[in-house]
Amino acid sequence: MKRPTIADIAERAGVSKGAVSYALNGQPGVSEQTRARIQAIAQEIGWRPNLAARLLSGARADAIGLVVCRPARFLGVEPFFMELISGIEGELAASSCALMLQVVPDHEAEIAIYQRWWGEGRVDGAILVDLHADDPRVPVVERLGMPAVVVGHPSGAGSLPAVWSDDGAAMREAVEYLAALGHRRVARVAGLPGLLHTQIRDTAFAEVCAALGVSEHPVVHTDYTGEEGARATRRLLSSRARPTAIVYDNDIMALAGLSVAQEMRLDVPAELSIAAWDDSPLSQVARPPLTALTRDIPAYGAHATRCLLRIVGGEEAAGVEDPAARLLPRGSTAPAPGA
């Protein structure tokens, strides 16, 4: 079926197309009675503004962009991004604004998408995730003048507002808890080394281990997948100075590590304690259930979206520091062997 047009409305209302345009765009030039009749007809026949025409006129796109520089298959198993998107969508629903989501292999492709989106008027702004140290995307977005908000630490966000929490404080809480249980060989299975939040966690981990006398504290960086998490765990548990506790950067790797420990006939938590970053239903239904650092990830998405929409609307918008992740001890952690 042919989509309804302004001409269809004009024919039904018995007015010119110009009068219909005035009425639908809230401009003067028609009486209130005529405006109401035109709007009623538009609603009756299902007329909606033509996006291409709106873009040509310089109107808003009523869409924001999110580009994820990860393998597409990763999004299906990583709860963080699904929860973040749920928070974004929840906020957008109230504003009749859409989310444009794109998955890319590298930052060059991501930058090209921002340039195209902004040049073609496809989005009103964007949310940047997975902030890197000296991130090349930040200066490009600043030069474009595209409204943007960073989900990440403000130290790497340039002039862009940031939505973030203190990863260093959360890491310190986790290691302090394990040290209080008597663990002196604590390993860390981390995420991608180039990510700014990974570096912040690395630094906090090294500092708190040194301060608490945790003599052995190796770090293995991975790509966040279960496969890499399992491989890192096997390497750590096969080493001469086998750790008595491991902190993982996400729940997927922690669950993979739990499977490896069981495969190697190590009792969790009697012989190995496991803690995961970011709680999830998967962490809660595992056996034993995983001790986890929990945070309100949908709130990150909602806060970033709210901030971005204020900027798009011409308002000033400051960044938001959310509460740091807090530790939820469960059955996967216990006193160190012999403690």
Side-chain angles (χ1 to χ4, degrees):
M1 293 178 63
K2 174 176 168 287
R3 66 177 285 165
T5 66
I6 284 179
D8 297 327
I9 300 171
E11 182 179 352
R12 287 198 179 204
V15 297
S16 67
K17 290 192 291 183
V20 173
S21 179
Y22 292 149
L24 295 177
N25 288 299
Q27 298 175 340
V30 294
S31 69
E32 289 307 311
Q33 183 179 1
T34 301
R35 187 188 307 277
R37 187 169 82 255
I38 289 171
Q39 290 174 340
I41 292 170
Q43 184 173 4
E44 179 188 341
I45 68 174
W47 177 87
R48 292 291 183 275
N50 183 284
L51 178 59
R54 291 183 63 208
L55 295 179
L56 286 172
S57 68
R60 286 187 190 170
D62 284 337
I64 65 169
L66 174 67
V67 183
V68 179
C69 188
R70 299 278 186 95
R73 64 184 178 84
F74 182 83
L75 298 184
V77 295
E78 174 53 76
F80 175 85
F81 281 108
M82 292 299 99
E83 292 186 42
L84 183 74
I85 291 170
S86 76
I88 294 171
E89 289 284 13
E91 198 66 30
L92 290 179
S95 62
S96 300
C97 194
L99 175 66
M100 291 191 67
L101 174 65
Q102 188 94 32
V103 179
V104 296
D106 53 50
H107 279 167
E108 287 185 6
E110 184 172 347
I111 287 170
I113 286 173
Y114 293 140
Q115 291 169 330
R116 185 174 77 250
W117 278 354
W118 189 240
E120 296 176 355
R122 291 178 177 269
V123 298
D124 298 317
I127 295 173
L128 274 63
V129 295
D130 279 348
L131 194 64
H132 281 60
D134 299 320
D135 199 301
R137 300 169 296 171
V138 171
V140 170
V141 169
E142 289 173 328
R143 286 195 299 271
L144 287 174
M146 179 175 70
V149 173
V150 170
V151 176
H153 197 272
S155 64
S159 64
L160 306 178
V163 175
W164 64 291
S165 66
D166 191 341
D167 279 358
M171 179 60 74
R172 286 189 289 274
E173 182 181 0
V175 177
E176 285 170 355
Y177 172 70
L178 293 171
L181 291 175
H183 294 278
R184 292 297 177 267
R185 298 196 304 276
V186 180
R188 174 166 136 73
V189 176
L192 297 163
L195 294 176
L196 183 57
H197 71 258
T198 301
Q199 296 178 9
I200 291 171
R201 295 178 189 182
D202 283 350
T203 299
F205 181 70
E207 290 176 352
V208 71
C209 285
L212 296 175
V214 178
S215 55
E216 300 287 340
H217 49 272
V219 177
V220 182
H221 291 102
T222 70
D223 63 358
Y224 288 108
T225 63
E227 293 87 347
E228 283 294 306
R231 186 175 295 113
T233 303
R234 286 192 190 93
R235 191 186 318 163
L236 289 167
L237 296 182
S238 300
S239 64
R240 186 170 299 175
R242 189 177 75 198
T244 61
I246 304 177
V247 180
Y248 293 83
D249 258 16
N250 71 1
D251 54 349
I252 299 299
M253 294 194 297
L255 289 166
L258 175 61
S259 295
V260 168
Q262 293 168 344
E263 164 194 311
M264 297 177 73
R265 304 198 176 190
L266 289 174
D267 186 279
V268 176
E271 296 175 283
L272 175 70
S273 286
I274 289 176
W277 205 291
D278 288 338
D279 196 11
S280 73
L282 294 176
S283 301
Q284 298 167 34
V285 301
R287 289 294 175 267
L290 299 182
T291 292
L293 285 158
T294 184
R295 51 183 174 165
D296 190 348
I297 298 170
Y300 276 103
H303 294 160
T305 305
R306 205 174 303 151
C307 182
L308 180 57
L309 293 178
R310 285 201 297 269
I311 298 170
V312 169
E315 301 177 36
E316 292 288 331
V320 178
E321 181 179 2
D322 274 23
R326 67 185 191 281
L327 190 72
L328 284 181
R330 294 198 184 100
S332 66
T333 48

